Amino acid sequence: MASLRNDEWRDYDDVDENSFTEISPLLVSQKREQLSSPSIIESLDYDRCPNEPYMAFISTKTKSLVRWLNLKDWIMFGVIGITTGVVAFAIDMGVKYLSEAKFHTTFSFVSEYSDTIMVPMMIYVAFSLLYCLIAAAAVAVTPEAAGSGIPEIKCYLNGIRLPKVVRIKTLACKAFGVLFSVAGGLPCGKEGPMIHSGAALGAGIPEGLSRLLKKMGYTDSFFGVHDDRVKRDFISAGAAAGVSAAFGAPLGGVLFSLEEGSSFWNQALTWKTVSTVSGF
């Protein structure tokens, strides 16, 4: 089967660690050292350098393989969108049930202690304080989950590698923090945190599936998560899905990621992001 010409590989950047092993062992060792030092803030490699090893690598890829790699990407973008919607729905339902529990208990004490308002008020304050303490504990466990997360995601999409920002642990603490903060009555919402949550899902799901498939014997990096450009595209789509889930505006999510979030974009990513948010 004929190999691809160089110009046919311009729109696809799925370069993984294992494929580079035979071409540049030094590049692989540097990448592993970078991944093993998550506390270092450094730049991400978003630009391609058309050197001889890279050209030798892309010349080994065939058209059928590129189609398969693109199909995997499309599937992954859809999974990210669906998962982000599930997380947003779970947060909404959690806030609803926690708020109902707080108000139901408070109203029951209002009926029981009709001659005074102090006891029901203390119950209401106790519930609110408990929820806020749980939210504070989640942030204490993972400080990267504090705030809306939008500035951190914009930094990542523009080439600054912030440590632990898009990890699944950060996502879990962010979701719990938002859940209990809103239920506790704090003046905050889930809009900004959903952007951070969607971006974390965009980074974590492909990497998790790649590790799972690798343990199952699939030696190649299934979704190219060792390539910063591929991971950046997944995070861009995840951020767009977060906006769509928070506001119910799919096109608004695409425009946010395109205009406000990322400085690196291409036409193929536009349609992949549209497919990500199309379920909303």
Side-chain angles (χ1 to χ4, degrees):
M1 189 174 295
S3 298
L4 284 177
R5 299 191 310 270
N6 291 339
D7 59 344
E8 292 177 320
W9 251 88
R10 289 178 303 176
D11 296 331
Y12 199 86
D13 304 307
D14 193 356
V15 182
D16 57 78
E17 177 186 35
N18 299 292
S19 298
F20 259 114
T21 304
E22 298 179 356
I23 298 174
S24 180
L26 177 60
L27 185 65
V28 176
S29 63
Q30 291 175 348
K31 190 68 174 179
R32 285 173 175 168
E33 183 179 355
Q34 173 187 339
L35 295 175
S36 64
S37 303
S39 61
I40 300 176
I41 298 178
E42 58 183 19
S43 298
L44 294 162
D45 299 326
Y46 287 164
D47 291 328
R48 283 277 174 254
C49 180
N51 49 47
E52 292 184 3
Y54 178 67
M55 293 303 178
F57 166 73
I58 64 175
S59 65
T60 63
K61 299 299 183 180
T62 60
K63 291 183 177 180
S64 60
L65 181 58
V66 171
R67 293 192 189 99
W68 167 235
L69 293 175
N70 276 304
L71 177 61
K72 291 192 298 183
D73 274 3
W74 281 92
I75 294 173
M76 195 69 258
F77 278 102
V79 171
I80 291 171
I82 293 172
T83 309
T84 304
V86 170
V87 170
F89 178 77
I91 291 176
D92 283 341
M93 291 296 101
V95 170
K96 175 184 177 182
Y97 289 127
L98 288 175
S99 299
E100 286 180 352
K102 179 173 68 173
F103 287 113
H104 178 75
T105 305
T106 301
F107 286 140
S108 65
F109 275 88
V110 169
S111 301
E112 185 174 352
Y113 296 90
S114 57
D115 55 339
T116 178
I117 196 62
M118 291 303 298
V119 175
M121 183 178 295
M122 291 176 61
I123 295 298
Y124 180 85
V125 171
F127 265 96
S128 299
L129 286 176
L130 176 62
Y131 291 165
C132 293
L133 285 174
I134 295 175
V139 175
V141 171
T142 307
E144 293 78 14
S148 68
I150 296 177
E152 289 82 358
I153 297 305
K154 291 177 71 174
C155 286
Y156 198 101
L157 291 177
N158 286 278
I160 301 176
R161 181 177 177 269
L162 298 177
K164 303 179 182 179
V165 168
V166 290
R167 291 193 171 182
I168 295 299
K169 181 181 179 181
T170 305
L171 165 65
C173 292
K174 172 75 75 173
F176 273 99
V178 152
L179 175 63
F180 286 96
S181 295
V182 176
L186 294 179
C188 60
K190 66 181 180 64
E191 288 76 15
M194 273 310 305
I195 297 173
H196 191 178
S197 299
L201 289 169
I205 293 177
E207 185 171 356
L209 287 177
S210 293
R211 291 181 178 180
L212 176 63
L213 291 170
K214 191 172 183 179
K215 290 181 179 179
M216 296 172 59
Y218 193 91
T219 57
D220 198 8
S221 179
F222 193 70
F223 294 107
V225 294
H226 298 293
D227 185 1
D228 290 334
R229 299 187 71 174
V230 177
K231 191 172 183 178
R232 176 201 68 199
D233 291 348
F234 286 138
I235 292 175
S236 297
V243 174
S244 302
F247 295 100
L251 294 181
V254 176
L255 292 176
F256 170 84
S257 188
L258 169 62
E259 297 179 356
E260 298 291 335
S262 180
S263 296
F264 301 86
W265 203 266
N266 56 67
Q267 184 176 1
L269 180 59
T270 302
W271 294 112
K272 290 176 181 178
T273 307
V274 169
S275 71
T276 303
V277 303
S278 60
F280 300 97

